[in-house]
């Protein structure tokens, strides 16, 4: 599941720049895991999460991680 992906992308040697996870039934719980990854990942510049099941809580997790510590992500698609 998403936990394996998050683990791989939390590695400081990760180099993936664009990640498309649209239409994967990701919930607020998955968004929280992604937010934790975003706090340490410095390679992602685009993250596509459209057509998932992310609610206000998940968006809040993602927003907080971007404000606090991620400055490499340039585009986050949630629609």
């Amino acid at each position: 599941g998403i936990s394996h992906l998050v683990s791989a992308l939390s590695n400081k040697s990760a180099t993936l720049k664009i990640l498309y996870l649209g239409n994967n039934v990701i919930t607020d719980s998955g968004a929280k895991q992604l937010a934790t990854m975003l706090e340490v990942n410095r390679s992602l510049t685009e993250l596509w999460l459209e057509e998932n099941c992310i609610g206000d809580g998940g968006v809040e997790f993602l927003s907080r991680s971007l404000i606090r510590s991620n400055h490499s992500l340039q585009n986050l698609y949630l629609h």
Side-chain angles (χ1 to χ4, degrees), residues 21-27 48-54 79:
L21 293 173
N23 203 21
N24 275 290
V25 195
I26 297 170
T27 63
W48 296 71
L49 296 172
E50 76 282 354
E51 302 298 325
N52 280 292
C53 302
I54 300 172
H79 187 273

Side-chain angles (χ1 to χ4, degrees), residues 10-74:
S10 295
N11 187 319
K12 291 184 180 192
S13 64
T15 59
L16 187 69
K17 295 201 177 293
I18 299 171
L19 180 60
Y20 181 82
L21 293 173
N23 203 21
N24 275 290
V25 195
I26 297 170
T27 63
D28 287 351
S29 175
K32 184 176 183 179
Q33 291 180 60
L34 288 167
T36 300
M37 175 272 297
L38 287 172
E39 291 181 4
V40 295
N41 181 284
R42 297 296 175 253
S43 65
L44 279 180
T45 59
E46 290 188 24
L47 178 56
W48 296 71
L49 296 172
E50 76 282 354
E51 302 298 325
N52 280 292
C53 302
I54 300 172
D56 292 344
V59 171
E60 189 172 329
F61 289 129
L62 292 165
S63 298
R64 275 194 232 146
S65 69
L66 294 173
I67 290 169
R68 275 191 260 175
S69 58
N70 185 295
H71 304 288
S72 61
L73 194 71
Q74 298 170 6

